Amino acid sequence: MDPPQGETAIVEIAATRARISDLVMRVHPIPPSMLMADVADLFLADACRDLLCLPIVRDGVPLGTISRYAIMKIFLRQFGREIFGTRPIERFMNSTPLLVNVDADVEAASAYVRENMILPVTEDFIIVEQGMYRGMGMVTSLLALMEQRVAQRGHALVQANQRIKASQAHLVQSEKMASLGQMVAGVAHEINTPLGYVRSNVELARDFVGQTSSALVAASNLIRSLLDDRATDDEIGAHLATAASATESVAETGILEDIAPLFDDTLHGIEQISELVVNLRNFSRLDRARVDRINLNEALESALTIGRNLIKHKADVISDYGELPPVECAASQINQVFLNILTNAAQAISDYGQIVITTRPPDAMSDGPVEIRIRDNGCGMPETVRARIFDPFFTTKPVGEGTGLGLSICYQIIEQHHGSIDVSSVPGEGTEFVIRLPVHQRAGVTEPTAESDTAVSGARHEQQANTAIC
Amino acid sequence: MNSKPILLFVDDEERILRTLVMAFRSRYRVLSASSGEQALALLREHPVDVVISDQRMPHMTGVEVLRQAREIAPRAMRILLTGYAELASIVGSINEGEIFRYVQKPWRLDELRDTIAEAVDIARVAPDTTAAPATAPATGGIMVLDGDPALHQLIRQAHPDLHVELADNLDLALTRMAQQAPAVLVTDLQLPEGDISDALRLLKASQPELVTLVVTAFRDTGHLIRLINQAQVYRVLPRPVSRNMLLRSVESALRHHQLLQNRPALMRRHTVEATPVAADNDVGRRVRGYLDRLRGRTTPA
Ligand SMILES: Nc1ncnc2c1ncn2[C@@H]1O[C@H](COP(=O)(O)OP(=O)(O)OP(=O)(O)O)[C@@H](O)[C@H]1O
Ligand SMILES: [Mg+2]
């Protein structure tokens, strides 16, 4: 796609009480050459958390915008991140962004924005001054400002606001799926540790075989000369010396004592690698039908293996598994729920603690739910935090560590499975999550992630196509 | 220092330590630590020549261990040996760890042996025991190689007394550098002529006193690792870069250059890996042309 020839309506100065300047958010613009994957990372930064889109600017002139939504749509396609992540963002941007003059009248500006925005709202607007980039403005803020001003129109605006909130919630899950991909990459790295010592051990063993075989040759030469009647004492002495020094040098390496543990380690490493690979496949379940009958104890084990590099330094895991009937669910999603909760538990433990997992079948003779409890003895949380943990973007973790999406995703997934998720927590003592899932699903668990879709060309089309969904 | 050289391996996986001890104990005295804390204690007690650390460990990361090792045992050469190539740790290992090599797990034993042998040699002939000068020297120019003039402007304002040049392409930069070799090169990786990593490698190989600061939005981890091992870049600043971070890095790059000038032996600590880059490709030709010009200038006719 070519860079835009911007033909965008700019709201003219219409009133004296200009207030758009109050809305200016000093968002650092991105250059058109920036790579898609880097832009995606920017969206995770604190400063951008509330923004629907980022401005693309060259020499101070706004060229377009790229929305969180557009990026997620691309990354959700198979290998989307790999294929498109290294391309310049310019090729994917919306080249007809909403532009509002900094000294425009608020009313005129919001009329313009409402007329030109597309629902669901996936883009904010650029604020310009004499054609040059000044900052970003949030559609929600603009509408809120109008709300204050025009009481009568309040009703319609509230509705618009709600629609926007709903569409934002819709984006949340996609974002988390993208980060799942990154986590899988992390597990691949986890394999490198056992691979490291396995390879090294095999190389050492090869060297060892080289050394011992020369000692063996020397020893058998000695034996042969001892059995040979014609051999002189001098000859025998020479063979003896060679054999002695060859066996000595083997013994000196200390490898005779070490060879057994070396092979034990190697076998252990190979087991580790196999286990990771098997679990990785189970975890993603890409080769399975979406809704399946799953042994949840196995799913928990998969999640534990996948999260091992996070958990192993933080806690002993004690598993108390009951005998569960197979449960109808979307395996990859339920795995994700377990992983999120286990990750949180590990993160809540400051030094070293305990995570207890308990599973119980439905009460005998009832068609009630199975129950999964995950308890940690970490920091716990006060009521003020507990009340908000399922809110999207609610996090108490430092920037870069938490997106605050984990539990909101869990909540959505469990809800889609007609189950429940509850939490109890005591500050300083720990936290327990209780998940209940019905064994059978009523007709059709809803498809939770974006369906594979058409090529991304011009964000506008995408947005229009999606209006029907929300 | 005729005793056996001392290696210190740091890894939280005991099996890794076991195999490394076995592989190296015949030629070196080998210490091992299963945590960062333990490693730092050993560094205080023993005159370690090379410290080789894993990155991901509980409590303390490898980058943190190596950062502290710089202070506790400045003579020891630092190597990161990790299976987890993640951007933050790579950037940290450059900027904070100032490491000699970034080696990935699984490693090849013969290569690791060579790398460690080289590091041991260097630790013995070029002990880094002098502190860098406290203030940046007022000599030595800065070349800014970037399409965006903003960086250049910033640096020029901060160093009005230095010769700060701007070039927006490699050829221009090399021409100017041949006229006056700068102390510090501030550059993006992506220029109009493409990726200039190869040029950086060749430059550092032949001009070890040139201190390179890379400012980039580019985040290919494999690439950055090569920039450590083959170009010994001094700092990598991800774009968008903050003003303070940039200026602080330029300052310390200037000081570092000064240090290398005062104690040329230290340049060995930044020896680059033999590059597999064919010198007769396009970039190679240009850099060689530049080096010829430079020599033509410095050697009296
Ligand atoms: N086991 C727990 N113990 C204590 N606090 C918890 C626990 N689980 C969740 N929390 C609190 O709930 C907040 C929200 O959790 P959530 O998983 O939604 O996001 P996050 O963990 O902060 O970020 P992310 O999951 O994206 O890494 C956390 O920041 C934390 O304050
Ligand atoms: Mg979480």
Side-chain angles (χ1 to χ4, degrees):
Chain A
M1 214 187 309
D2 286 323
Q5 304 87 36
E7 217 183 84
T8 315
I10 296 185
V11 179
E12 293 306 329
I13 312 163
T16 42
R17 284 197 304 153
R19 284 280 203 71
I20 292 293
S21 57
D22 298 341
L23 298 180
V24 174
M25 299 174 68
R26 298 195 185 285
V27 177
H28 199 77
I30 52 185
S33 58
M34 193 166 191
L35 305 186
M36 163 91 97
D38 296 333
V39 177
D41 287 343
L42 281 183
F43 271 113
L44 295 175
D46 224 18
C48 305
R49 224 164 236 199
D50 297 331
L51 277 176
L52 295 175
C53 67
L54 288 174
I56 296 162
V57 175
R58 183 193 287 137
D59 302 332
V61 181
L63 302 180
T65 51
I66 182 74
S67 70
R68 204 180 275 274
Y69 189 69
I71 290 187
M72 287 314 150
K73 294 231 68 155
I74 296 165
F75 279 5
L76 279 174
R77 291 155 70 193
Q78 205 172 13
F79 304 118
R81 186 180 269 271
E82 289 73 12
I83 297 169
F84 299 107
T86 53
R87 304 203 178 161
I89 197 65
E90 186 169 28
R91 306 184 42 183
F92 306 96
M93 71 184 178
N94 165 17
S95 52
T96 54
L98 298 168
L99 294 182
V100 172
N101 243 330
V102 70
D103 41 13
D105 170 67
V106 168
E107 208 155 320
S110 66
Y112 157 77
V113 167
R114 258 180 295 145
E115 244 163 60
N116 291 283
M117 76 186 183
I118 288 165
L119 289 171
V121 176
T122 55
E123 302 235 349
D124 288 313
F125 58 88
I126 296 183
I127 300 175
V128 290
E129 184 168 20
Q130 291 169 339
M132 304 300 274
Y133 174 78
R134 265 293 297 274
M136 292 297 293
M138 282 170 60
V139 171
T140 40
S141 320
L142 179 61
L143 297 183
L145 205 62
M146 274 307 287
E147 213 168 346
Q148 287 165 7
R149 281 212 186 168
V150 196
Q152 298 93 325
R153 277 188 236 153
H155 183 63
L157 289 170
V158 167
Q159 278 190 331
N161 243 325
Q162 275 167 354
R163 274 204 301 274
I164 290 164
K165 289 229 176 73
S167 72
Q168 273 171 334
H170 196 81
L171 303 182
V172 161
Q173 175 141 3
S174 342
E175 194 156 337
K176 198 67 188 183
M177 285 304 283
S179 69
L180 188 70
Q182 286 176 329
M183 190 217 55
V184 169
V187 174
H189 288 300
E190 177 87 342
I191 291 180
N192 287 333
T193 291
L195 212 49
Y197 61 80
V198 165
R199 179 177 180 132
S200 173
N201 285 349
V202 171
E203 292 191 66
L204 286 174
R206 189 190 52 194
D207 292 353
F208 171 67
V209 170
Q211 285 169 356
T212 40
S213 63
S214 63
L216 266 180
V217 169
S220 61
N221 284 345
L222 172 63
I223 293 172
R224 214 178 306 125
S225 67
L226 284 173
L227 298 178
D228 186 346
D229 297 336
R230 289 162 300 166
T232 64
D233 281 359
D234 279 356
E235 276 168 355
I236 294 176
H239 283 303
L240 188 63
T242 319
S245 88
T247 46
E248 183 101 327
S249 72
V250 170
E252 242 169 35
T253 60
I255 209 142
L256 285 174
E257 302 88 75
D258 287 330
I259 196 82
L262 184 136
F263 279 120
D264 288 346
D265 282 358
T266 304
L267 289 173
H268 177 91
I270 288 170
E271 245 154 57
Q272 291 265 293
I273 294 167
S274 329
E275 196 185 322
L276 277 162
V277 170
V278 167
N279 278 291
L280 204 54
R281 203 190 53 217
N282 286 351
F283 194 83
S284 56
R285 293 283 165 132
L286 295 175
D287 51 347
R288 295 281 195 98
R290 265 189 30 77
V291 174
D292 213 339
R293 290 157 60 84
I294 296 299
N295 179 338
L296 291 184
N297 293 338
E298 281 173 17
L300 280 161
E301 281 300 306
S302 274
L304 280 172
T305 317
I306 297 296
R308 181 159 57 201
N309 58 342
L310 284 168
I311 299 168
K312 74 175 171 203
H313 305 308
K314 296 308 269 309
D316 271 333
V317 178
I318 297 167
S319 307
D320 169 12
Y321 295 145
E323 236 173 71
L324 301 186
V327 171
E328 254 177 51
C329 61
S332 61
Q333 293 185 358
I334 292 298
N335 286 339
Q336 204 184 332
V337 170
F338 293 156
L339 182 66
N340 275 332
I341 293 178
L342 288 167
T343 310
N344 282 345
Q347 287 167 344
I349 294 169
S350 63
D351 206 21
Y352 195 84
Q354 207 175 57
I355 298 175
V356 181
I357 307 175
T358 317
T359 62
R360 290 291 173 261
D363 293 338
M365 302 295 175
S366 89
D367 56 354
V370 299
E371 194 179 274
I372 298 106
R373 292 174 179 267
I374 299 177
R375 193 176 76 224
D376 65 70
N377 62 355
C379 61
M381 50 193 139
E383 178 54 29
T384 44
V385 170
R386 201 200 58 83
R388 298 191 55 197
I389 55 172
F390 296 112
D391 292 353
F393 300 114
F394 175 78
T395 179
T396 58
K397 291 167 193 170
V399 188
E401 237 171 76
T403 63
L405 292 174
L407 287 174
S408 73
I409 302 296
C410 292
Y411 190 85
Q412 284 184 27
I413 291 175
I414 297 298
E415 199 174 45
Q416 280 162 359
H417 284 81
H418 309 105
S420 70
I421 174 167
D422 295 295
V423 58
S424 56
S425 184
V426 179
E429 285 185 18
T431 305
E432 181 173 58
F433 282 86
V434 184
I435 297 168
R436 295 188 180 84
L437 279 174
V439 175
H440 300 285
Q441 290 294 324
R442 293 172 252 145
V445 178
T446 43
E447 188 84 29
T449 56
E451 47 314 300
S452 60
D453 49 36
T454 50
V456 180
S457 59
R460 293 267 145 168
H461 279 128
E462 293 269 86
Q463 290 166 11
Q464 250 142 12
N466 272 293
T467 315
I469 300 174
C470 298
Chain B
M1 265 194 278
N2 285 325
S3 50
K4 263 189 179 181
I6 304 182
L7 309 183
L8 169 59
F9 290 104
V10 193
D11 201 302
D12 63 324
E13 169 60 69
E14 52 171 334
R15 295 177 182 84
I16 294 274
L17 292 178
R18 203 143 53 217
T19 191
L20 289 171
V21 170
M22 272 191 240
F24 288 93
R25 68 184 162 197
S26 59
R27 295 186 53 191
Y28 306 98
R29 191 166 153 220
V30 182
L31 306 174
S32 62
S34 58
S35 73
E37 291 82 352
Q38 206 188 336
L40 297 180
L42 287 171
L43 276 171
R44 288 196 184 88
E45 280 168 34
H46 304 273
V48 171
D49 290 274
V50 183
V51 43
I52 303 103
S53 177
D54 181 28
Q55 164 63 4
R56 292 198 116 195
M57 296 179 291
H59 309 304
M60 203 189 282
T61 64
V63 167
E64 182 59 24
V65 172
L66 296 179
R67 192 186 67 75
Q68 297 201 34
R70 268 176 66 198
E71 287 156 22
I72 299 172
R75 193 178 64 83
M77 297 293 284
R78 297 168 296 274
I79 295 175
L80 205 64
L81 175 64
T82 175
Y84 197 76
E86 143 222 54
L87 188 75
S89 71
I90 298 172
V91 171
S93 72
I94 300 173
N95 296 347
E96 293 167 44
E98 293 190 355
I99 61 167
F100 175 64
R101 292 290 182 266
Y102 192 111
V103 182
Q104 288 182 277
K105 289 176 187 170
W107 63 91
R108 294 177 55 109
L109 202 46
D110 50 349
E111 285 176 10
L112 186 62
R113 281 189 175 125
D114 291 349
T115 303
I116 287 180
E118 189 180 13
V120 164
D121 276 357
I122 294 171
R124 300 230 148 186
V125 300
D128 176 13
T129 43
T130 358
T135 50
T139 56
I142 302 173
M143 167 59 74
V144 181
L145 177 47
D146 189 13
D148 176 359
L151 285 186
H152 172 247
Q153 251 169 34
L154 251 177
I155 298 172
R156 211 179 40 188
Q157 278 162 14
H159 296 278
D161 45 335
L162 292 186
H163 185 66
V164 186
E165 277 217 75
L166 174 68
D168 64 357
N169 65 71
L170 183 63
D171 279 336
L172 181 58
L174 291 176
T175 310
R176 293 279 164 77
M177 284 164 71
Q179 284 151 13
Q180 181 174 14
V184 174
L185 171 64
V186 179
T187 181
D188 200 332
L189 286 182
Q190 306 290 350
L191 291 176
E193 51 264 80
D195 187 289
I196 62 152
S197 309
D198 285 349
L200 295 182
R201 295 179 211 172
L202 292 169
L203 278 174
K204 187 72 184 177
S206 52
Q207 252 188 300
E209 73 280 10
L210 178 68
V211 179
T212 317
L213 213 143
V214 168
V215 179
T216 181
F218 184 69
R219 293 179 174 196
D220 181 280
T221 49
H223 212 104
L224 287 178
I225 292 171
R226 284 196 296 280
L227 283 179
I228 300 177
N229 296 344
Q230 297 169 6
Q232 279 284 294
V233 297
Y234 183 65
R235 293 285 184 268
V236 167
L237 306 178
R239 275 186 201 266
V241 57
S242 89
R243 180 178 179 280
N244 286 343
M245 188 151 62
L246 174 71
L247 294 181
R248 256 206 320 276
S249 304
V250 169
E251 279 275 320
S252 80
L254 286 167
R255 285 202 299 271
H256 189 67
H257 175 77
Q258 177 82 349
L259 182 64
L260 295 181
Q261 294 269 294
N262 295 347
R263 309 230 5 245
L266 293 183
M267 285 180 207
R268 281 215 56 197
R269 295 183 71 90
H270 302 285
T271 310
V272 297
E273 227 170 48
T275 59
V277 184
D280 61 339
N281 66 9
D282 192 34
V283 172
R285 260 195 307 279
R286 287 189 215 179
V287 174
R288 253 187 323 166
Y290 153 70
L291 292 170
D292 290 346
R293 269 173 282 166
L294 198 63
R295 276 184 215 112
R297 192 173 56 73
T298 48
T299 44

